[in-house]
Amino acid sequence: MPNSLEQLKSTGTVVVCDSGDFATIDKYKPQDATTNPSLILAASKKPEYAKLMDVAVEYGKQHGKDIEEKVDSTLDRLLVEFGKEILQIVPGKVSTEVDARFSFDYQASIDKALHIIDLYKSIGIEKERILIKLASTWEGIKAAQTLQSKHGVNCNLTLMFSLPQAIAAAEAGAYLISPFVGRILDWYKAAMKKDYSPQEDPGVSSVQAIFNYYKKYGYKTIVMGASFRNKGEITELAGCDYLTISPNLLEELYNSQEDVPQKLIASDASSLDIPKKSYINDEALFRFDFNEEAMAVEKLREGISKFAADAITLKGILRKKVEG
């Protein structure tokens, strides 16, 4: 009998590995991989990745007028070095994140994204294999719209916790979105002081609602559930376009023989009664409707702060090496 991971793939879900630790990726044969500053920080502390750090530091020393610019250059190159190694393992795409401190800066997000694409190109990797990860702020969504329509750069809108963010992302023509599951569960468990089964998990419900909205209204944007706390959250979303899963949960699925029936079925969405909304040309309405969801506001703020803090920690490690 096929294991749960193989069954998940057979429901039509594309399995993606959520890790910067590419030594662990190959076993699970994912199509794509996603990274973020926190994952790169964790991986970069391991001795087996020192050679990537060395390449990035050498590059950084040659690029920048002052130490700040040199450290920024080093970080960008490090992200791209990790992406390059991952792309030797996965057949599809890798997601590389724009620095979270640009989450509220439309132009800086575009500039950084295009710089990352240029860095990949300089080492022989075409933009077709890259997804640029941007936070699902108003500015991030509008930056993705420009990157997709004017530059042909595919974007992954991340830190997504609500339907308004998802609707605006689809209208922006984003290639893919990453609605978070586990972080929504975390908020509800803390707020409601109760546990949730996978069937009633509010993070699972959020992704189901986004999936159904997209399928009902014919959006092509890929829905990739992310940030899982347990195996049940994953199997409840069997049939979702993509799911990005950490190595420890991939291992659980790999070692499990439990049945994984398809739960999300695109054709079922057409009969659902879901009102259509539009945000992409109405910033005020987007901000108001998003603001109505306390969990989403809080989790977006927290996620941006944590990614930015981890990028600063990583820069601190790189600074010592650039100066050394």
Side-chain angles (χ1 to χ4, degrees):
M1 172 159 175
N3 63 39
S4 295
L5 182 59
E6 290 308 314
Q7 291 183 61
L8 177 63
K9 291 177 181 178
S10 72
T11 68
T13 292
V14 172
V15 170
V16 177
C17 187
D18 195 23
S19 177
D21 185 5
F22 49 79
T24 66
I25 290 174
D26 193 35
K27 175 178 181 181
Y28 309 108
K29 301 287 181 267
Q31 172 70 22
D32 293 359
T34 50
T35 64
N36 63 47
S38 308
L39 294 173
I40 300 291
L41 174 61
S44 67
K45 293 175 178 174
K46 298 185 175 183
E48 58 263 42
Y49 299 125
K51 67 181 196 311
L52 304 191
M53 199 79 103
D54 294 343
V55 171
V57 168
E58 274 314 301
Y59 175 87
K61 285 177 176 176
Q62 314 298 323
H63 294 81
K65 297 190 293 289
D66 54 34
I67 186 63
E68 295 302 327
E69 285 190 8
K70 288 179 193 295
V71 172
D72 271 351
S73 295
T74 305
L75 177 58
D76 290 344
R77 185 58 192 258
L78 184 65
L79 297 177
V80 167
E81 284 299 312
F82 269 91
K84 180 184 83 169
E85 295 292 331
I86 287 167
L87 286 172
Q88 290 173 7
I89 297 165
V90 302
K93 295 174 166 60
V94 69
S95 289
T96 299
E97 191 127 358
V98 166
D99 194 325
R101 70 196 160 104
F102 299 135
S103 296
F104 303 101
D105 190 327
Y106 162 81
Q107 193 58 49
S109 293
I110 292 170
D111 293 345
K112 180 63 85 175
L114 294 175
H115 177 59
I116 290 168
I117 292 294
D118 284 344
L119 275 179
Y120 272 113
K121 189 160 192 180
S122 74
I123 57 172
I125 296 166
E126 295 302 318
K127 66 184 180 184
E128 286 72 25
R129 297 202 71 195
I130 312 302
L131 292 179
I132 293 293
K133 267 178 107 173
L134 297 155
S136 299
T137 55
W138 174 257
E139 295 80 6
I141 291 165
K142 294 300 279 188
Q145 184 179 27
T146 299
L147 286 163
Q148 291 279 167
S149 63
K150 297 213 164 83
H151 301 282
V153 170
N154 287 326
C155 297
N156 168 355
L157 281 163
T158 189
L159 293 174
M160 184 171 286
F161 303 97
S162 69
L163 192 55
Q165 289 172 296
I167 293 171
E171 291 183 297
Y175 179 85
L176 179 148
I177 60 164
S178 296
F180 280 36
V181 178
R183 294 194 198 187
I184 293 178
L185 175 65
D186 296 344
W187 190 91
Y188 276 95
K189 280 171 74 171
M192 304 301 173
K193 306 284 189 290
K194 62 170 274 194
D195 281 323
Y196 294 84
S197 70
Q199 292 75 22
E200 59 182 8
D201 187 308
V204 169
S205 301
S206 174
V207 176
Q208 288 167 339
I210 291 167
F211 178 89
N212 285 330
Y213 186 95
Y214 277 23
K215 302 314 172 193
K216 180 174 177 70
Y217 292 111
Y219 288 113
K220 296 288 181 275
T221 298
I222 293 164
V223 180
M224 181 174 74
S227 148
F228 294 104
R229 295 291 175 262
N230 56 65
K231 185 160 65 72
E233 287 184 322
I234 296 166
T235 55
E236 279 300 309
L237 291 172
C240 190
D241 300 335
Y242 287 28
L243 296 175
T244 185
I245 305 168
S246 62
N248 61 314
L249 287 172
L250 285 170
E251 182 68 15
E252 270 192 52
L253 290 163
Y254 185 85
N255 291 323
S256 168
Q257 298 294 317
E258 283 177 39
D259 277 347
V260 183
Q262 184 171 347
K263 295 291 181 82
L264 296 188
I265 299 166
S267 57
D268 289 355
S270 59
S271 61
L272 297 175
D273 183 19
I274 310 170
K276 196 166 202 288
K277 291 209 157 187
S278 180
Y279 294 108
I280 198 65
N281 297 313
D282 194 340
E283 180 181 350
L285 181 63
F286 171 83
R287 290 192 183 282
F288 184 85
D289 282 3
F290 176 66
N291 194 64
E292 288 290 283
E293 303 199 28
M295 172 277 296
V297 172
E298 204 172 302
K299 282 291 165 188
L300 178 63
R301 183 213 63 74
E302 178 189 81
I304 289 169
S305 291
K306 184 171 187 331
F307 282 164
D310 283 345
I312 288 166
T313 303
L314 190 48
K315 282 184 189 175
I317 294 168
L318 297 174
R319 177 187 290 266
K320 289 196 181 80
K321 292 181 179 293
V322 171
E323 291 175 332

